Amino acid sequence: MKKLLLCCFSLLLVTALFAQADHDLLAYVDPRIGTAHARWFYFTPGSSPFGMAKPAPSTDASYGNKSGWEAVGYDARHRSIEGFANFHEFQIGGVVFAPMVGELKTVPGRLEDPDKGYRMTFNKDDELASPGYYSIKFRKERIQAELTSTKRVAFHRYTFPETEEAIILFDIGKQQGESGPVENAEVYLTTDGRIEGYVATLPAYVQKYQPAATVKMFFSVELSKQPKAYGACNGSSITPGENSSTGKGAGLYLRFSTSQQESIVLKAGLSYTSVANARANLRAEAAALSFDAARAQAEQDWAEHLGRIRVQSSSKVDMVKFYTGLYHALCGRGLASDINGAYPKNDGTVGQIPLDASNIPLHHHYNTDAIWGAFWNLTQLWTLAYPEYYSDWVKSQLLVYKDAGWLGDGIANSRYVSGVGTNFVGLALASAYTSGIRDFDVEQGYAAALKNELQYQDRPFGAGKTDVDRFLKYGYVNHLDDGSGFDERWRFSASHTLEYAYSAYAVGQWAKLLGKRNDQRKLLRLSQAWQNIFDRQSRFIRPKDAEGKFIDNFKPAEAWRGFQEGNAWQYSFYVPHQPEQLVKAIGRERFVARLDSIFSVSQQNKFGGGTTLDAFSGLEGLYNHGNQPSLHIAWLFNFAGKPSLTQKWVRQILNEFYGADQIHGYGYGQDEDQGQLGAWYVLAAMGLFDVKGFTDPQAELGIAAPLFDSIRIKGNPSYFSGRDFEIKVLGNREETSYAQSFTLNGKRLKKPFIRLSDIQAGGKLVIELGSQPTDKYE
C-alpha cells in the first residue's frame, strides 16, 4: 500500500510539475508583436484557444476598413482605447462595452481627439497582455479594465474610483473591425437585471459572396452590481430612464455609485443563434465562476494547448517568436456553435448538431477564414498537435455542405466569405483522411470533395472555383485580359490552373485509398494541368488563351495578370504535389540556380515587400513570404538534391522575416490570415514541413535545421500511438545552420525526409548540425 501511495503521489507530482512547466510558456507569448499591421482577429488576449468569446481592447475598431479585411482593431502604436469588443472573427465583430467616469459619452472619440468621445488614453507601462488575460489602467479616469473568458462567455472586470458617476456603456449598433455596416440592433435591460440583445451586420465579403445575407451576434450579460440609473442612446441622442434601444446605433448605459477600488464584473454569454442560447451558454460555463477563477481556467487552457509542443533554446527571442506564433495559430477559427449544439446555418436559420446519449454535441461548429494556403501551416500543425480540432473542423465544414450543398472555403456564421474565390476545403478533407484523422462521415466528406473538384452547374459564387468549367474544358483555365464581374471570375487563369491541379491531386489520392479507380484516374489526369501552361522556353508558368497560345507581353514580375496575389516568379514553383516533375521540367541545375538567386535577391527586401507596412507590398517581388503562394518554396531544394539550401534559406527567413516587436512582427507587409504565418514559423523552427500538405498516403515531411536544442510533440492516444515525438539537436549554435546527419530511433536516415507516420508513432529524431553544408546523408 505504501508503494502504491508513493507511486500515486509521484505521478501527481510529475503531472503538477508538467502543468506548471506548461503554464510557464505563457510568459513567452507577446500578443503585441506585429500589431502595427494586424488583422481583426489578431489581438485578442482575453480569449481562450479556438473560443467564441474574444474580448479585447479596440484602438481603431470603429473606423472599419476600406475593403473589409485590412488591418484594424488594435495597433500598439496607438495610445488610446475606445472600448472592448467581444466578437473577433473573420468578417465578424461587435458588441462593445466601455467603462467611463463622469460625463456620459455615447460616440467613440477619434484617435487625434480622444476627449470628444468615449476614448481613454493610457500609458504602455499600465497595460498587460498575455494568453487568457488583459489588463489596462486609465490613470486620468482611475479605472482599471480587465478581460478574460471561457469558450463562450466574455468576462469584464471594471474597477472604479469612489464616485457617483461610474458608467458602463453598451454600444451595440455600431460597425466594429471587419463587421461591415450594421443592418439592425437591439439592446435592453430585463426585469431581472440582465443586459441582452443582438446586432446584425453586413460584412463586405458576405455581401460579395452571398448578397443580402447578414451575420448576427447575440449576447446576455449578468452584472455583479445593479445600477442606480440607466438610459438608452443612439449616436449622440440620449434618453435617460429608457430601458431599451433598437436600430442602427442602438446603445444602453448604466450608472453606478462606487466606493474606492470597487469592481463591477460583467459576464457576457455569447451566441450566434439566439439570446436564449447566449443565456444558456453563460449558465453552463460561468454561472458560479468568478473572474479570477475564469482567468485561471483560461490560462490553464492556453498552457495545455501551448504545451502540446515544448521547445528549449538559450535564445529568448526565438522562444518568444515560437510561442507567439503558436498562440496566433490557436486564436483564429473559433467556435460558432452553442453549448447545446445549436449553430447558425448558411440560410440564416438555426441548425442542430446531433447529441450523444448524455445530450452533449458530437462535435462543434467553427467560423473560419479561407483555407487558402493553410495546408502549408495550419492543417499540418493541427495534424501534429491538435488532431481533435482538425477532426472537429472537418465535421464543421461538412455541416455547411449538408445545409448548402457546397463546401465553403471561408465561412462567417456559415455564410460564404471565401475572399480569394477558390476552394481548398476538399484538399483539407483529403489531407485529414490521408493523415489518419478519419472519425467523420467519410463517404459524405469524399462526395463533398469530389463535387468541389468537378462540378460547376448551379455553383454559387460563394463556393468559389467559378471558372472550374473552363478548367475541365481546356485542361487549364484560359486567360482573359478583361471580363465581367469580380476578378476571381475571370482574372486569375494561371494561378487557378495550378491550384485546381493541386487539389485534384489531393482528392485523387483519397480516391485511390477508397478504391474509387475511375475518380482517381480522372483526378490524377487533372493534376497534370500545370504542364499545359508551362512555357518550356522560358521555364515559367505562363497564362494561355482558349486557342492554346501563351499570352503576349508577358512580364514574370507582373502581379494580378493571370496570378492572384502574386506573379509568375512566385507561382512558377506552385506545383507542390509533383515537385520532382517540376524540377525535371525546369532542369535541376537551372532550378537550383534560379531558386537560390531568388532568395539572395529577396533577402535584400526582407523576403517580401521590405519595410512597407502593407499586406500586398511584396506581390511583385521574386519571393513574398508575407502571402500564401510562396510559403512552400524554400523547401523545394530538398527535391533538387540541395537540402543544404533549404536549411540555409529557411533559417534566414525565420531570423529575418519574423521579428519580435510591434512593427516588425510577421514581416512588415504581411497578411496573417488567422494564424497561418505564425503556424509556418512553428513548423519551420522545428525543422519540419511537407510541401505536399499531407496529401500523399505515405506523407513525408522535409527536414531542415531546427532553431531549438530540443523539441517534444506530445502524442495523442485518441488518434495515434499516444507516444511523444522528440527531436534532439546536437551542436546547435548560431554558426551551425547545416544538418550533418539525421538519426531516427537509432537508425540513420539517408535523405532529409521523415514519414508522418513515424512522428505519429512517437520516437526520437537526432539531428547533428555543423557549419559546413552537406547534401549527402549516406
Side-chain angles (χ1 to χ4, degrees):
M1 179 61 70
K2 289 182 178 179
K3 289 182 178 179
L4 179 61
L5 290 173
L6 182 60
C7 288
C8 290
F9 176 77
S10 299
L11 180 60
L12 288 171
L13 180 60
V14 169
T15 301
L17 289 173
F18 272 115
Q20 183 58 44
D22 287 346
H23 197 276
D24 292 344
L25 299 178
L26 303 183
Y28 291 112
V29 177
D30 184 355
R32 296 187 196 86
I33 288 175
T35 51
H37 187 75
R39 296 280 289 277
W40 174 238
F41 91 101
Y42 190 88
F43 188 80
T44 52
S47 68
S48 298
F50 302 124
M52 177 190 295
K54 296 180 179 179
S58 299
T59 66
D60 61 0
S62 65
Y63 285 60
N65 51 29
K66 180 181 178 182
S67 303
W69 62 270
E70 298 96 336
V72 67
Y74 178 92
D75 186 330
R77 296 172 297 178
H78 295 159
R79 292 296 180 269
S80 60
I81 287 172
E82 61 183 20
F84 303 94
N86 289 284
F87 288 95
H88 286 80
E89 208 68 77
F90 181 55
Q91 300 296 290
I92 299 174
V95 183
V96 175
F97 305 161
M100 61 192 80
V101 169
E103 180 188 358
L104 171 63
K105 298 177 181 180
T106 58
V107 176
R110 307 298 289 178
L111 286 164
E112 63 276 10
D113 194 0
D115 291 337
K116 289 295 180 65
Y118 66 81
R119 177 182 288 274
M120 294 184 285
T121 59
F122 67 96
N123 297 326
K124 279 294 173 185
D125 292 341
D126 295 328
E127 184 181 49
L128 174 62
S130 63
Y133 178 71
Y134 177 82
S135 173
I136 183 67
K137 294 178 181 178
F138 301 106
R139 294 187 183 184
K140 179 180 176 183
E141 294 81 5
R142 292 179 294 158
I143 294 174
Q144 180 181 14
E146 299 169 275
L147 309 173
T148 191
S149 66
T150 63
K151 293 296 186 185
R152 299 174 181 86
V153 182
F155 280 69
H156 298 238
R157 181 162 66 188
Y158 302 139
T159 302
F160 291 96
E162 182 178 358
T163 179
E164 295 297 315
E165 299 297 327
I167 299 170
I168 300 176
L169 174 69
F170 299 83
D171 194 2
I172 307 306
K174 289 190 177 69
Q175 178 173 348
Q176 283 289 298
E178 295 176 358
S179 73
V182 170
E183 181 192 56
N184 203 358
E186 180 180 18
V187 55
Y188 51 87
L189 175 63
T190 68
T191 55
D192 61 354
R194 298 172 184 268
I195 303 294
E196 297 183 330
Y198 80 96
V199 57
T201 62
L202 301 166
Y205 278 9
V206 171
Q207 297 314 297
K208 178 178 180 179
Y209 293 102
Q210 200 167 340
T214 62
V215 165
K216 291 184 178 179
M217 294 156 272
F218 300 86
F219 61 95
S220 176
V221 183
E222 289 184 354
L223 296 97
S224 62
K225 180 174 183 172
Q226 293 305 302
K228 68 175 185 177
Y230 55 83
C233 57
N234 194 306
S236 58
S237 175
I238 300 172
T239 309
E242 184 67 47
N243 68 354
S244 66
S245 180
T246 60
K248 298 177 183 178
L252 203 68
Y253 67 90
L254 306 179
R255 197 182 301 273
F256 302 85
S257 173
T258 56
S259 58
Q260 183 68 17
Q261 291 296 293
E262 181 178 355
S263 295
I264 300 175
V265 175
L266 286 69
K267 300 178 184 180
L270 306 178
S271 172
Y272 292 114
T273 64
S274 70
V275 169
N277 280 332
R279 202 179 300 134
N281 290 338
L282 195 160
R283 282 198 304 268
E285 294 187 357
L289 209 60
S290 69
F291 182 96
D292 291 329
R295 175 186 175 182
Q297 180 177 296
E299 290 178 341
Q300 184 55 41
D301 196 3
W302 276 111
E304 191 278 326
H305 277 76
L306 295 173
R308 300 280 187 98
I309 306 176
R310 291 203 58 90
V311 299
Q312 292 183 347
S313 173
S314 59
S315 170
K316 183 179 179 181
V317 171
D318 288 345
M319 296 284 286
V320 167
K321 288 182 185 180
F322 183 89
Y323 282 108
T324 302
L326 185 54
Y327 161 79
H328 281 126
L330 303 172
C331 271
R333 304 168 197 273
L335 273 171
S337 55
D338 297 315
I339 196 75
N340 60 9
Y343 73 95
K345 294 175 66 173
N346 176 267
D347 63 3
T349 62
V350 176
Q352 177 63 50
I353 296 168
L355 307 177
D356 66 13
S358 302
N359 289 324
I360 296 173
L362 294 178
H363 61 88
H364 302 97
H365 190 44
Y366 297 91
N367 287 306
T368 172
D369 198 350
I371 206 70
W372 197 58
F375 32 77
W376 289 326
N377 34 68
L378 288 174
T379 60
Q380 293 190 42
L381 180 61
W382 296 344
T383 299
L384 293 174
Y386 311 98
E388 76 286 355
Y389 177 82
Y390 199 173
S391 171
D392 243 15
W393 180 90
V394 167
K395 296 166 188 171
S396 174
Q397 294 292 319
L398 291 180
L399 284 179
V400 179
Y401 173 74
K402 180 192 70 173
D403 294 338
W406 298 84
L407 295 169
D409 200 47
I411 51 173
N413 282 14
S414 296
R415 306 295 202 180
Y416 291 129
V417 289
S418 170
V420 288
T422 187
N423 193 323
F424 273 111
V425 177
L427 181 149
L429 300 183
S431 174
Y433 185 87
T434 57
S435 300
I437 299 169
R438 300 178 176 182
D439 56 341
F440 60 93
D441 188 332
V442 172
E443 285 301 316
Q444 183 188 60
Y446 177 76
L450 187 66
K451 183 177 183 179
N452 195 43
E453 297 304 311
L454 300 178
Q455 292 193 29
Y456 53 86
Q457 294 91 348
D458 301 320
R459 188 179 190 117
F461 184 38
K465 302 180 77 159
T466 56
D467 51 6
V468 74
D469 56 334
R470 292 152 52 202
F471 176 71
L472 297 172
K473 177 180 179 179
Y474 297 108
Y476 60 93
V477 179
N478 59 300
H479 180 75
L480 300 172
D481 267 325
D482 197 10
S484 60
F486 293 108
D487 286 358
E488 54 263 50
R489 290 188 181 275
W490 58 270
R491 193 175 188 180
F492 307 124
S493 60
S495 58
H496 282 183
T497 298
L498 300 171
E499 291 171 344
Y500 302 169
Y502 177 29
S503 59
Y505 176 86
V507 180
Q509 296 302 306
W510 194 3
K512 179 180 179 180
L513 289 174
L514 295 178
K516 299 179 183 296
R517 301 303 179 190
N518 289 336
D519 292 346
Q520 177 194 353
R521 285 190 289 269
K522 183 184 297 184
L523 291 163
L524 294 185
R525 176 177 55 80
L526 292 173
S527 74
Q528 302 284 342
W530 65 273
Q531 297 182 19
N532 295 330
I533 57 169
F534 181 76
D535 183 351
R536 298 191 179 278
Q537 289 189 330
S538 66
R539 267 62 164 208
F540 278 106
I541 293 294
R542 184 174 175 181
K544 186 182 284 187
D545 64 21
E547 281 74 44
K549 298 178 182 178
F550 288 116
I551 62 170
D552 56 11
N553 196 28
F554 173 61
K555 301 173 184 176
E558 183 179 4
W560 302 110
R561 190 184 181 209
F563 300 96
Q564 185 164 19
E565 299 184 24
N567 59 33
W569 280 106
Q570 298 162 15
Y571 269 104
S572 289
F573 295 101
Y574 199 115
V575 189
H577 56 297
Q578 294 166 342
E580 298 93 344
Q581 292 185 35
L582 178 65
V583 171
K584 183 178 180 181
I586 294 176
R588 193 184 72 82
E589 291 185 6
R590 184 196 296 259
F591 182 95
V592 171
R594 178 188 285 185
L595 195 52
D596 191 37
S597 65
I598 282 173
F599 282 109
S600 295
V601 172
S602 299
Q603 187 174 23
Q604 306 308 310
N605 215 26
K606 306 291 185 184
F607 295 106
T611 57
T612 301
L613 286 176
D614 185 273
F616 287 163
S617 61
L619 293 197
E620 295 190 351
L622 302 180
Y623 175 81
N624 180 25
H625 195 79
N627 213 338
Q628 287 89 333
S630 293
L631 293 181
H632 68 299
I633 295 177
W635 296 84
L636 291 174
F637 292 107
N638 280 344
F639 297 92
K642 294 293 289 184
S644 61
L645 290 177
T646 282
Q647 297 155 24
K648 172 185 176 180
W649 290 119
V650 166
R651 181 165 287 208
Q652 294 300 324
I653 293 168
L654 289 169
N655 290 338
E656 297 176 28
F657 177 85
Y658 291 87
D661 60 68
Q662 64 190 34
I663 297 176
H664 178 198
Y666 298 165
Y668 293 89
Q670 53 80 19
D671 190 16
E672 171 61 319
D673 288 336
Q674 290 202 315
Q676 291 198 37
L677 291 178
W680 191 96
Y681 184 96
V682 169
L683 291 169
M686 292 194 294
L688 299 173
F689 187 90
D690 181 19
V691 166
K692 299 182 182 183
F694 293 167
T695 57
D696 267 358
Q698 297 296 326
E700 291 186 325
L701 293 90
I703 310 173
L707 291 181
F708 303 103
D709 300 328
S710 69
I711 300 158
R712 183 178 293 274
I713 303 171
K714 288 188 178 179
N716 190 310
S718 297
Y719 288 88
F720 312 118
S721 73
R723 296 179 59 218
D724 293 354
F725 183 77
E726 181 184 0
I727 301 175
K728 183 68 175 177
V729 183
L730 305 178
N732 190 18
R733 299 185 298 277
E734 184 176 351
E735 66 276 11
T736 57
S737 58
Y738 294 103
Q740 307 298 301
S741 66
F742 309 105
T743 304
L744 176 63
N745 298 329
K747 183 178 180 180
R748 290 284 290 265
L749 299 180
K750 296 183 178 180
K751 58 180 183 177
F753 292 94
I754 182 173
R755 291 181 300 183
L756 172 62
S757 59
D758 287 330
I759 296 176
Q760 293 170 333
K764 185 174 183 179
L765 174 67
V766 178
I767 303 175
E768 183 180 1
L769 300 184
S771 59
Q772 297 300 313
T774 181
D775 296 309
K776 301 293 183 181
Y777 303 102
E778 299 299 332

